[in-house]
Amino acid sequence: MNNAILSERDTRVLWHPCTQMHDHENFPIIPIKSGQGVWLEDFDGNRYLDGISSWWVNLFGHSNPIINAALKQQVDALEHVIFAGFTHEAAVELAEKLVAVTPAGLSRCFYADNGSAAVEVALKMSFHYWQNQGQTQKTKFVTLQNSYHGETLGALAVGDVALYKKTYAPLLMDVITAPSPDCYFRESGETWEDYSTRQFAHFEEMLAENANEICAVIVEPLVQCAGGMRMYDAIYLKLLRVACDKFNVHLIADEIAVGFGRTGTLFACEQAEISPDFLCLSKGLTGGYLPLSAVLTTDDIYTAFYDDYSKLTAFLHSHSYTGNALACRAALATLSIFETQNVIQKNHILSAKMAVLSQRFLTHPNVAEVRQTGMILAIELVKNKITREPYPWQERRGLQIHRYALSKGVLLRPLGNVIYFMPPYVIAIDELTLMFDVAWQAITRVY
Ligand code: PMP
């Protein structure tokens, strides 16, 4: 087998996600044969450093020996079992662990099988909670500008990235969209904290006016990832928690992308010292091995559904692969690495190194901002550094960066004009250096 044969077979029968398939007429899709640590290898022997953790899922490298061993054991015992009326050891142990490591007050774990499904579960649970409480006028959700929560219709409705949402607008429920705390737009000299606080004032006004009909507010804590790795201060989350309590509205924290150590703490909410009413987890949950998601929630919410069957208050949502045993086992192995390997502290060293390596980008005439939250570092490229006028999207400069970096053995996948780095936590310093060097060469070539 080689790259050409497999990519040709691929494009005859496959339809890839988030892809204009026509692009692959000129630029063949890359078939990956194996992965080891931060490296992916194709069928022709080319290697690529996975600088984006394979869509932000991989934490401890490809083919991680600890996760591999756990899966091998699990597969001989139980691969999967219906999760209604039945349970299994890995699902129970994982729920116990998640309850223990997530912010205080989250005491119940509901499984689904991908990030968008977790968002759907949280939205439905919040709405249904208010129905069970007799507050039937609560039917609306609030989201932030530029947010992203997935691609299924409910998740898409509470997102705000036009590229993914606009076409489907006639199919989507109405939501209230509040101004984003995105600190890219702060005044010069204004701190992240001041700008995020200032933006919150708009939010509170809106909440005060509409709280009676609002079920929940959904946010991506600290980093709006798919929206271009836009970042904001933890103060916003603190203020949000207080306001949600004051106005009797749920807070849904979508930590699907930022959970599990990405932002410098195990969960981003920790930096604001808050507990949401719903915490959505996926991606890194299984170390990037298998699809699994979890929605953590409180006793208060759980008990609002708990009654005699005839009251018809139960949450009847289900997915066939809920609580899959292999996925739960991979998640347990992933959590065991956090428990035993000082991951959060090691990440602080890596993120400090990323900050140093990114310094030279500040001097580039097309770089408007270099921003970082923990293990996420983003570079905003513009046509004009003073006015911050962006390059037209039609020029697809991000795609050119992607292709150039691949030719140099690094997988980067810019979001429009935003180049970002989100590597697995097992990346070595010389690999970090390579990633930033290639990005620098790519930028100086393409911009
Ligand atoms: N929420 C956030 C914050 C995400 O970044 C993503 C995926 N990029 C999702 C939800 C959806 O997850 P999935 O792709 O597993 O459906």
Side-chain angles (χ1 to χ4, degrees):
M1 187 54 61
N2 63 31
N3 279 8
I5 292 172
L6 202 53
S7 69
E8 204 271 322
R9 279 170 59 193
D10 175 290
T11 39
R12 258 190 274 140
V13 289
L14 275 159
W15 191 344
H16 286 265
C18 204
T19 299
Q20 172 47 268
M21 292 300 290
H22 181 267
D23 282 352
H24 289 303
E25 283 196 10
N26 301 319
F27 193 81
I29 204 143
I30 300 171
I32 294 299
K33 184 177 179 190
S34 61
Q36 190 68 56
V38 297
W39 293 97
L40 296 165
E41 186 168 335
D42 69 18
F43 281 78
D44 291 350
N46 303 306
R47 280 158 39 96
Y48 310 93
L49 195 166
D50 188 353
I52 55 159
S53 299
S54 283
W55 256 343
W56 324 337
V57 299
N58 192 291
L59 303 187
F60 299 117
H62 297 276
S63 198
N64 179 286
I66 295 172
I67 306 174
N68 284 4
L71 280 175
K72 282 173 188 163
Q73 265 199 351
Q74 182 66 47
V75 79
D76 282 334
L78 175 71
E79 80 300 331
H80 182 70
V81 60
I82 176 175
F83 207 61
F86 293 85
T87 193
H88 56 85
E89 205 178 354
V92 175
E93 203 181 322
L94 178 60
E96 287 169 350
K97 288 242 153 94
L98 289 173
V99 164
V101 298
T102 51
L106 297 169
S107 55
R108 285 280 159 184
C109 174
F110 188 97
Y111 292 121
D113 50 17
N114 64 72
S116 304
V119 168
E120 301 284 346
V121 165
L123 298 174
K124 283 178 71 179
M125 266 186 188
S126 172
F127 168 81
H128 198 160
Y129 169 92
W130 296 116
Q131 295 292 305
N132 285 351
Q133 300 286 68
Q135 298 228 37
T136 50
Q137 81 292 352
K138 279 188 178 277
T139 58
K140 288 241 159 79
F141 293 94
V142 180
T143 186
L144 301 184
Q145 259 173 3
N146 193 44
S147 57
Y148 178 94
H149 298 289
E151 302 286 344
T152 53
L153 294 177
L156 201 56
V158 294
D160 186 48
V161 178
L163 180 63
Y164 310 120
K165 182 170 181 176
K166 205 167 157 219
T167 309
Y168 306 100
L171 304 181
L172 305 177
M173 69 176 163
D174 268 346
V175 296
I176 301 173
T177 307
S180 168
D182 173 2
C183 290
Y184 182 64
F185 296 109
R186 70 196 185 283
E187 299 293 329
S188 95
E190 190 174 23
T191 64
W192 282 26
E193 183 174 347
D194 286 348
Y195 183 72
S196 300
T197 307
R198 185 151 70 81
Q199 285 303 88
F200 186 75
H202 304 296
F203 183 91
E204 186 148 37
E205 239 170 66
M206 177 280 304
L207 200 58
E209 256 172 50
N210 301 288
N212 193 41
E213 55 175 10
I214 295 173
C215 301
V217 179
I218 182 165
V219 290
E220 292 164 272
L222 300 185
V223 188
Q224 296 187 312
C225 293
M229 300 296 164
R230 293 293 179 78
M231 300 175 184
Y232 61 92
D233 193 85
I235 186 76
Y236 194 90
L237 297 171
K238 254 190 219 277
L239 296 169
L240 196 54
R241 179 69 274 179
V242 173
C244 286
D245 287 342
K246 180 170 156 194
F247 293 108
N248 215 18
V249 159
H250 292 143
L251 176 57
I252 303 173
D254 174 354
E255 294 221 19
I256 288 161
V258 297
F260 299 103
R262 253 317 143 191
T263 65
T265 41
L266 191 57
F267 299 102
C269 282
E270 291 170 30
Q271 295 182 41
E273 298 169 320
I274 60 150
S275 295
D277 300 291
F278 299 93
L279 176 67
C280 300
L281 302 173
S282 189
K283 291 193 186 271
L285 172 60
T286 62
Y289 265 65
L290 285 156
L292 178 69
S293 60
V295 179
L296 279 290
T297 191
T298 62
D299 274 349
D300 174 42
I301 286 164
Y302 178 73
T303 50
F305 292 80
Y306 193 89
D307 208 335
D308 190 82
Y309 184 82
S310 62
K311 300 275 175 55
L312 296 177
T313 56
F315 188 61
L316 298 181
H317 186 101
S318 62
H319 295 285
S320 316
Y321 280 98
T322 296
N324 176 264
L326 290 167
C328 289
R329 190 54 73 191
L332 280 167
T334 301
L335 286 178
S336 81
I337 299 174
F338 278 102
E339 280 165 17
T340 56
Q341 299 191 11
N342 232 351
V343 176
I344 301 294
Q345 262 139 318
K346 284 191 202 155
N347 279 2
H348 290 166
I349 296 167
L350 287 175
S351 40
K353 184 68 186 171
M354 285 164 73
V356 171
L357 290 168
S358 70
Q359 282 308 302
R360 70 165 144 169
F361 290 83
L362 287 166
T363 61
H364 193 282
N366 297 109
V367 171
E369 185 176 69
V370 175
R371 52 182 176 266
Q372 183 178 17
T373 300
M375 291 292 289
I376 307 174
L377 192 141
I379 296 170
E380 184 93 26
L381 287 144
V382 288
K383 193 167 179 182
N384 184 320
K385 199 165 174 135
I386 309 293
T387 63
R388 291 190 160 184
E389 181 195 350
Y391 279 102
W393 62 267
Q394 292 87 343
E395 293 179 12
R396 304 186 78 187
R397 286 170 189 257
L399 183 65
Q400 295 172 50
I401 298 272
H402 167 70
R403 289 179 179 172
Y404 176 82
L406 277 180
S407 75
K408 299 290 170 197
V410 175
L411 167 52
L412 299 174
R413 202 171 189 276
L415 293 154
N417 287 310
V418 177
I419 298 191
Y420 70 91
F421 307 92
M422 205 156 161
Y425 306 159
V426 291
I427 193 165
I429 299 292
D430 61 332
E431 292 163 338
L432 270 184
T433 308
L434 171 70
M435 191 170 70
F436 279 86
D437 281 350
V438 167
W440 175 259
Q441 290 161 23
I443 288 173
T444 46
R445 251 179 110 92
V446 173
Y447 286 87

